[in-house]
Amino acid sequence: MPIRALTTFEDPIAKDVVQLGNIKFWEFAAFLETPSGKLLEFSTRRNSYGADPSMDITSRTAPADRVVIHHNHLSQESLSFADWHGLTVFAKETFAHCADGTVYWGKVADEAAVTAKINNRGTAEIEATNLLFQILQAEIGGPDDAAIAFFFRKEVINRAMKIRTWVEYEFAWGTYPAPPPSSSGNGTQTWFAGKRGKAICSLMDQAAARLAPLL
């Protein structure tokens, strides 16, 4: 299933968070009342790994008041547990946009299950990395397999949570010739998400299918 189309209101906002991120190397986030408006807040914390909202946004916990988020991921990695946490508290859906045009999108379908996983995430990222690494080694056997498996660990987790029907999750690989920053906020080497993701998409599905029963 493709990511839902952006509204005419959302589209320029999504472009803005990416463009500003490319200029400043910070994460930016826009918080919308609905996909068609209004824009409630546009923020940055002047760092590369998060753009936390104000209390005006985090206090919108009632289902009818939850927001739509558009933010940039400088790392080009998929949705994180922090993104999913927001979706259990104050957000109804979130988009993470990357410089190469890659987009990750999510909604929570089973709030109790996702909250439990967030609170007890334990070795999920390690398991996802190891499973994808094993598959890459068997299918490709390249020198970058370990780094690629680590980079796409969140993607594997998100696909596994979708298999468990805990979340609605979709992605679209980018094709723009826009190289990522040399490193993410935690110093981890990044990859051209769209190009590499498209090349190993079916292998990530295999890893997610193996991970899902372990979550």
Side-chain angles (χ1 to χ4, degrees):
M1 179 185 298
I3 297 175
R4 74 159 175 82
L6 299 186
T7 66
T8 55
F9 184 81
E10 291 174 297
D11 188 59
I13 292 173
K15 289 182 171 66
D16 284 347
V17 298
V18 173
Q19 183 175 15
L20 286 167
N22 290 344
I23 293 170
K24 293 291 189 179
F25 296 105
W26 299 336
E27 187 169 308
F28 291 82
F31 303 91
L32 284 60
E33 192 167 65
T34 74
S36 298
K38 60 185 177 181
L39 176 61
L40 300 170
E41 185 171 293
F42 195 103
S43 67
T44 182
R45 294 293 176 260
R46 298 186 178 187
N47 63 53
S48 61
Y49 51 87
D52 296 337
S54 69
M55 289 187 64
D56 289 341
I57 299 298
T58 59
S59 65
R60 297 173 68 93
T61 57
D65 292 335
R66 293 189 178 189
V67 300
V68 175
I69 304 174
H70 287 272
H71 65 297
N72 62 311
H73 273 189
L74 289 174
S75 71
Q76 297 198 35
E77 292 179 348
S78 188
L79 301 182
S80 67
F81 281 120
D83 290 320
W84 291 113
H85 173 70
L87 287 161
T88 66
V89 179
F90 59 87
K92 66 184 78 171
E93 61 178 324
T94 191
F95 292 80
H97 304 274
C98 304
D100 72 339
T102 295
V103 182
Y104 307 105
W105 170 89
K107 292 178 69 173
V108 167
D110 187 331
E111 194 166 296
V114 173
T115 299
K117 185 74 258 176
I118 292 168
N119 292 337
N120 299 281
R121 53 187 178 268
T123 60
E125 290 194 5
I126 295 173
E127 291 171 337
T129 302
N130 289 341
L131 286 168
L132 183 55
F133 174 71
Q134 292 166 15
I135 292 169
L136 287 167
Q137 284 281 281
E139 298 290 333
I140 300 174
D144 293 332
D145 287 350
I148 294 170
F150 180 77
F151 177 80
F152 286 109
R153 70 201 184 281
K154 296 174 187 176
E155 178 68 17
V156 171
I157 292 170
N158 295 338
R159 295 185 192 198
M161 290 200 296
K162 180 180 177 180
I163 291 170
R164 294 294 298 269
T165 70
W166 297 350
V167 304
E168 296 179 41
Y169 175 72
E170 302 295 340
F171 60 90
W173 298 124
T175 59
Y176 302 153
S182 61
S183 64
S184 63
N186 61 7
T188 303
Q189 180 67 35
T190 61
W191 302 91
F192 196 154
K195 181 178 180 179
R196 290 183 179 267
K198 186 175 181 180
I200 65 164
C201 201
S202 63
L203 303 185
M204 287 190 281
D205 281 339
Q206 291 180 40
R210 296 183 191 180
L211 179 65
L214 305 177
L215 291 179

